[in-house]
Amino acid sequence: MADNGGKKITLKSSDGEEFEVPEVVAMESQTIRHVIEDVCAKNSIPLLNVNSKILSKVIEYCKKHVAAAEAAASKASTEEGTAAAASVTKPSDEDLKTWDAEFVKVDKGTLFNLILAANYLHIPGLLDLTCQAAADMIKGKSAKEIRKFFNLKNCISPEEEEEIRRENQWAFEEEKRTRAFDAYA
Amino acid sequence: MSEERQRGKNVGGSNTVARRHSLTGEASPSRRRSSVAVWPEHFVESVAVQVAVDATLSEGRLAAGPAIVHFFQVCSTWRGMSQSEMLWQDLTNRVWSHHHRQLPSWREEFIQLHRTARNFRMRRSAHSHLLAPTCPAKSCCCLSISDTYLAAGFLDGNVCVFTLPGGEPIANFSCHPSRDRLGRFSQCISGLAFLSNPTRVVFAYRDGDIHVAPLNDGPLGTSHRAHAGDVVVDGPLLDFSGNDRWWIGLFAGAPGRSWHVWEADTEQLIYVGGSLTDAGALMGWYMLTDFGAPVVGRVRLAGSRIAVGCSSSRIQVMDLDNPGFIINELAVQQGELAVDSVDATSEEKIVYVDLNGLAKVCRVPTLDEICRFDALRREMQGQNQGEAARVVACMNWGYVICFSGWAGAWDAQTGVFLYRFRERVRNVVAAVANNRYVAAWSADSGLHLWDFGVM
């Protein structure tokens, strides 16, 4: 990603640390974009809900995705009309997916803070990525384990659980596999 | 994730989020607790959708329903999410690739799709016999189906349209008697398709004429000619398919003119070219005059922008955003591909069967094999190995239905044989399926319809 000459924006975390980033990177956040476009941001934009540790991760994500988008756009313009442009799998997409997968290999606390930051800053790609990571973490877990994972307090009674199941009986209609008939029924 | 969901914008000051539902599991204020997590509602909805999608990817679409209900059982507040139409719309779009709602709510739509899929799995359907056969020269040769209509095209140029699920005939388009000037079967229907907004049926004759007829608007039984064919220049039209964006025709008989592509909106022909059917040119001409001439080629739409064409020895995948550009091609041993068996779904999958009865389901456009199975199951049917058998196949999102003297259903993801249809349907010459219905024309017994949407 070209990092020379473009306008810079300063983002200030909740614990007072300042991060100077290219405006195009900052505008990966719809929230920050609105502030810049509507409010005409001053020298720095305070982000009272995001600490420095998480903000640095968010900036890392945004920088990577801006760079990937610029590289893809550059490649598409040079290969326009060729078979390569219509190739089924683009190596750059695979590289980015690999990078994303590594990016969310963090502890639960960091992941949760990334989710909250992605929501607060309205970065749809990061929110989707962290949702996927959270979904992966709870895969196969029981309701009790999910409550513990998300630090939720249980207030569902066994009767309520049963009521939910009754309301959604369609999902549990007995699946009686039919035999593979080899003769006429 | 839905773009309509609002987010907190107040960057500089207050700690607001646009929707501050406290997803703490607190059913009522009297049960407040401390140190609980606060999760944005749309985040939890997004995780719920992801859980359902993951279940779909690992265990199939029927696993999505139980997975999402399990999610609702985590806490009372998450249970409340079961009332979110946005959630059910997301689930319906992503699990079932279904984007238009016919029922009053998206939740009902999702449940209907789940139950219909379950019915396919469990061989639970309502069978109807819609039309008896007449003489062989007036046999049906192609079918098309939508959520609400079934159309049958005949060798004598007639087209019949039936409503679904009832199967009542509502329109008949007769062919002008003088149309057979270029051969007895030049007026035969080569293909049909349904269009929406407004609802119409488009049908193409073997001589290349294309007609469009309204179904909801205007007098039934009338059509206009959208394209005048020129069989001398293009050869016979072997097969025709279409959707709201594209019409595709596969011709044979004139070298270098196999593929024809029209823009559906303007009805304009935008591409002519390709050599897919050049090797079968002579057989293509026979289709104008000979009853029972072998099917030389087939074309199907396999997604919003991909068409698949085949001859008995090649499969080509065309990018419709760049008409004429062949994304991928597969060579099959000469003459080994049973053209009648080729079908495709809008989810970019195709099925084809070779003359030995080996069926393959592949992804499009890569043509990577997903699964394979024996479509004839000769050992189980008590038939002789090596005995030739015609297989007519059709597929929907999850199942392949093969007709070869009997009708069977296979899982399109794993190739596992599921069951045999109870109804004896022999000598099938045309078949079609969508996510709810299967229809087939048997030269012996006429038009059959199976409705798997019965609840």
Side-chain angles (χ1 to χ4, degrees):
Chain A
M1 178 188 67
D3 197 18
N4 47 353
K7 189 177 174 185
K8 296 285 172 64
I9 291 287
T10 300
L11 304 176
K12 188 173 178 180
S13 68
S14 59
D15 47 349
E17 193 168 336
E18 292 191 338
F19 298 81
E20 190 179 64
V21 299
E23 183 179 86
V24 64
V25 171
M27 286 174 70
E28 283 287 286
S29 157
Q30 298 297 313
T31 305
I32 295 175
R33 176 188 287 267
H34 289 313
V35 171
I36 292 171
E37 291 174 347
D38 296 346
V39 180
C40 297
K42 314 169 191 88
N43 293 333
S44 76
I45 299 176
L47 304 175
L48 298 186
N49 287 349
V50 188
N51 65 32
S52 55
K53 177 188 171 188
I54 298 302
L55 184 55
S56 70
K57 289 282 289 179
V58 171
I59 290 170
E60 182 189 354
Y61 173 89
C62 294
K63 277 185 176 173
K64 180 67 178 179
H65 279 252
V66 166
E70 288 176 351
S74 172
K75 189 176 179 189
S77 65
T78 55
E79 291 178 346
E80 189 175 347
T82 69
S87 63
V88 172
T89 51
K90 303 183 177 93
S92 59
D93 286 349
E94 293 301 317
D95 291 343
L96 190 59
K97 282 180 187 170
T98 304
W99 187 92
D100 280 350
E102 287 302 312
F103 178 80
V104 289
K105 282 183 182 172
V106 295
D107 59 82
K108 189 173 83 172
T110 302
L111 178 65
F112 287 177
N113 283 314
L114 278 172
I115 290 166
L116 295 173
N119 170 68
Y120 179 65
L121 295 172
H122 193 181
I123 307 174
L126 181 58
L127 196 53
D128 283 346
L129 178 64
T130 48
C131 282
Q132 175 70 69
D136 290 343
M137 285 185 178
I138 64 173
K139 194 181 288 186
K141 284 185 163 53
S142 66
K144 182 178 176 182
E145 288 166 333
I146 294 174
R147 287 180 209 118
K148 187 178 175 185
F149 184 80
F150 282 106
N151 193 25
L152 300 168
K153 294 301 179 182
N154 180 24
C155 61
I156 281 224
S157 64
E159 293 77 23
E160 203 173 354
E161 275 197 35
E162 183 53 34
E163 189 181 341
I164 294 171
R165 193 182 168 93
R166 271 202 311 276
E167 283 172 0
N168 295 281
Q169 192 56 42
W170 56 269
F172 301 102
E173 283 160 359
E174 190 177 357
E175 188 177 18
K176 290 179 184 171
R177 295 288 305 275
T178 57
R179 286 192 306 124
F181 289 101
D182 295 321
Y184 290 113
Chain B
M1 197 185 312
S2 170
E3 291 297 326
E4 292 81 21
R5 291 181 176 141
Q6 294 180 1
R7 303 288 195 277
K9 290 189 189 180
N10 210 336
V11 176
S14 61
N15 187 19
T16 55
V17 174
R19 293 196 295 182
R20 287 208 55 167
H21 292 267
S22 169
L23 301 171
T24 64
E26 295 183 356
S28 68
S30 62
R31 299 177 67 185
R32 292 192 194 284
R33 291 178 171 80
S34 60
S35 302
V36 295
V38 179
W39 297 107
E41 180 176 310
H42 51 269
F43 157 71
V44 179
E45 284 191 16
S46 297
V47 173
V49 170
Q50 204 54 57
V51 163
V53 169
D54 285 351
T56 299
L57 293 173
S58 57
E59 298 171 68
R61 278 163 158 137
L62 287 172
I68 199 68
V69 173
H70 176 70
F71 199 82
F72 296 151
Q73 292 177 313
V74 169
C75 65
S76 292
T77 309
W78 288 21
R79 176 191 180 181
M81 214 168 298
S82 65
Q83 305 305 314
S84 166
E85 272 289 280
M86 223 177 241
L87 171 69
W88 289 107
Q89 182 178 3
D90 258 346
L91 288 169
T92 305
N93 294 164
R94 294 188 61 180
V95 171
W96 298 104
S97 300
H98 188 81
H99 300 275
H100 55 276
R101 179 169 57 83
Q102 293 179 302
L103 296 175
S105 72
W106 282 105
R107 180 175 182 270
E108 289 172 274
E109 198 75 28
F110 184 95
I111 293 172
Q112 166 90 353
L113 290 164
H114 177 93
R115 283 180 161 158
T116 303
R118 171 64 53 77
N119 287 345
F120 260 106
R121 195 92 195 159
M122 296 173 66
R123 198 179 68 167
R124 190 159 58 200
S125 66
H127 170 257
S128 309
H129 186 225
L130 301 187
L131 203 59
T134 52
C135 63
K138 296 186 178 182
S139 174
C140 171
C141 49
C142 54
L143 296 165
S144 185
I145 200 163
S146 72
D147 291 339
T148 47
Y149 296 103
L150 168 67
F154 292 82
L155 285 176
D156 63 356
N158 279 329
V159 173
C160 290
V161 180
F162 305 83
T163 57
L164 296 173
E168 293 87 20
I170 60 154
N172 188 80
F173 304 94
S174 301
C175 179
H176 195 281
S178 69
R179 281 192 64 90
D180 61 351
R181 60 191 180 281
L182 293 170
R184 187 180 169 200
F185 299 104
S186 61
Q187 83 278 21
C188 161
I189 300 296
S190 285
L192 322 111
F194 286 102
L195 313 175
S196 56
N197 298 323
T199 304
R200 294 155 291 159
V201 61
V202 56
F203 48 95
Y205 294 91
R206 197 161 280 170
D207 64 5
D209 275 11
I210 300 174
H211 284 236
V212 180
L215 292 177
N216 280 351
D217 189 27
L220 288 173
T222 62
S223 67
H224 77 269
R225 186 168 70 177
H227 176 82
D230 190 340
V231 71
V232 174
V233 171
D234 294 324
L237 174 57
L238 306 179
D239 198 13
F240 175 86
S241 188
N243 60 20
D244 288 334
R245 285 190 66 195
W246 312 105
W247 300 346
I248 319 294
L250 196 65
F251 289 74
R257 300 181 73 83
S258 296
W259 289 89
H260 285 51
V261 179
W262 292 262
E263 267 185 2
D265 255 352
T266 60
E267 302 177 353
Q268 294 300 308
L269 181 65
I270 61 170
Y271 174 78
V272 176
S275 59
L276 175 62
T277 58
D278 286 1
L282 184 60
M283 295 308 300
W285 288 110
Y286 283 145
M287 291 179 75
L288 289 175
T289 55
D290 290 8
F291 175 73
V295 178
V296 176
R298 174 158 285 189
V299 70
R300 288 289 183 267
L301 284 161
S304 59
R305 62 168 192 86
I306 296 177
V308 176
C310 75
S311 64
S312 61
S313 60
R314 275 198 293 170
I315 298 175
Q316 285 186 340
V317 182
M318 178 182 284
D319 178 4
L320 294 173
D321 283 337
N322 188 6
F325 181 70
I326 301 298
I327 304 172
N328 205 350
E329 187 165 344
L330 178 70
V332 180
Q333 195 170 343
Q334 181 66 36
E336 281 291 304
L337 178 61
V339 176
D340 284 0
S341 69
V342 176
D343 198 16
T345 73
S346 59
E347 294 183 345
E348 302 184 353
K349 291 181 195 167
I350 62 164
V351 61
Y352 63 92
V353 185
D354 68 19
L355 294 183
N356 296 316
L358 179 64
K360 292 183 185 176
V361 178
C362 299
R363 263 186 207 91
V364 172
T366 60
L367 297 178
D368 292 339
E369 186 177 309
I370 297 172
C371 67
R372 61 172 62 187
F373 55 88
D374 176 8
L376 294 174
R377 292 172 61 85
R378 283 195 170 99
E379 287 177 12
M380 307 307 290
Q381 302 307 321
Q383 294 171 349
N384 295 328
Q385 297 289 345
E387 186 179 314
R390 180 181 186 182
V391 177
V392 173
C394 55
M395 70 185 295
N396 62 15
W397 65 269
Y399 305 97
V400 179
I401 314 297
C402 292
F403 297 88
S404 59
W406 55 283
W410 283 260
D411 184 307
Q413 192 62 34
T414 61
V416 168
F417 175 70
L418 297 175
Y419 53 80
R420 180 184 177 130
F421 280 42
R422 291 190 179 90
E423 295 76 20
R424 301 183 186 192
V425 185
R426 291 196 169 118
N427 212 355
V428 167
V429 298
V432 70
N434 66 8
N435 290 351
R436 174 170 172 176
Y437 301 99
V438 175
W441 176 272
S442 156
D444 296 345
S445 52
L447 185 58
H448 296 257
L449 177 71
W450 291 268
D451 178 2
F452 289 84
V454 291
M455 296 295 148

